[in-house]
Amino acid sequence: MNGNDRQEFERAFPNPEGVQWNAEWGDYRPLVPGSGRQVMSAVFQNCRYQGWLAARQAKRKGRAVHAEPA
């Protein structure tokens, strides 16, 4: 992952109110740690980012992103 990927992600999916990138931990964190709404918003933003990043990396490697049959 690099900073350009994250910036591109944030253009497509702006951070929810009360959520910011934490460079030390490498994820999205709530501005107020005890705020349930901000905590959940940060969790969803992290999930959205990880999915977006996985799809982007697979595309760079020339692989389609899809579920494999069991």
Side-chain angles (χ1 to χ4, degrees):
M1 185 213 34
N2 62 46
N4 292 335
D5 284 342
R6 189 176 54 79
Q7 290 170 358
E8 188 173 328
F9 168 76
E10 288 180 2
R11 280 193 292 276
F13 301 97
N15 288 339
E17 183 179 335
V19 174
Q20 68 180 0
W21 179 255
N22 182 306
E24 181 180 346
W25 290 94
D27 65 359
Y28 290 93
R29 299 282 168 132
L31 293 174
V32 179
S35 169
R37 182 175 176 196
Q38 289 183 11
V39 168
M40 289 309 297
S41 292
V43 167
F44 288 129
Q45 187 73 341
N46 279 313
C47 290
R48 190 178 297 131
Y49 181 61
Q50 292 304 318
W52 179 89
L53 189 61
R56 183 173 181 83
Q57 289 172 342
K59 185 177 178 181
R60 283 183 185 151
K61 293 178 183 177
R63 291 187 230 143
V65 178
H66 57 84
E68 292 293 327

